[in-house]
Amino acid sequence: MAEVAQAAVEQLRLPRPVIRTSPAADFTQVVHVPTWMWVQSSSWGPVSESASVDGVTVTATARPRKAVWSMGDGASVVCHGPGTPYSARFGAHSSSPDCGHTYRRASFSEPGGKYRVRVRVVWDVTWRGAGDSGVVPGIAMTAEQSLSVDEVQAVVTA
């Protein structure tokens, strides 16, 4: 049974996470303004595969459990879901309800002037077949993106 279960798990093609942010990555993030992060919905959801050996069929199903973000400034954010896509209905300065980060300093001193942001989506796999079942925890898929973070300063004149 273990051989068939392993074959089913190995056939799983987990999607690479697609990183989304607001402001979008091609815009500059602003110090002290919340950055929203989420994993695009097409790269977050159950994936199943089956394998058969000698008449025994096992189905493996992977489900994403969490997204662990490394923000490039030393901070980590753990999100227990894909995150919420930003919408204007939330307001320009509101924080994400479930997956966000606020930068405290600009990225000028980083290589290329940008922070390297990485997300690691952790998947748990369950398998079932021929009256047996099991769990394979903690399979991870990662993606990276660079974000430019700048400070905005106002000058008041009288």
Side-chain angles (χ1 to χ4, degrees), residues 45-124:
V47 176
S48 292
E49 285 293 337
S50 295
S52 296
V53 175
D54 297 330
V56 176
T57 300
V58 170
T59 300
T61 302
R63 288 182 176 79
R65 178 170 29 106
K66 64 182 175 180
V68 181
W69 296 80
S70 298
M71 301 309 299
D73 63 349
S76 276
V77 178
V78 178
C79 303
H80 296 281
T84 302
Y86 177 76
S87 166
R89 68 185 165 95
F90 291 108
H93 295 287
S94 63
S95 297
S96 170
D98 56 1
C99 198
H101 176 65
T102 300
Y103 284 99
R104 302 290 176 215
R105 65 182 202 283
S107 59
F108 297 128
S109 62
E110 298 298 312
K114 296 181 177 188
Y115 288 122
R116 289 182 62 172
V117 175
R118 186 175 74 212
V119 65
R120 184 173 59 92
V121 175
V122 179
W123 298 73
D124 290 333

Side-chain angles (χ1 to χ4, degrees), residues 14-19 38-45 47 64 82 121 123:
L14 301 179
R16 182 175 208 154
V18 177
I19 295 173
W38 65 95
V39 174
Q40 186 171 299
S41 62
S42 64
S43 60
W44 187 280
V47 176
V121 175
W123 298 73

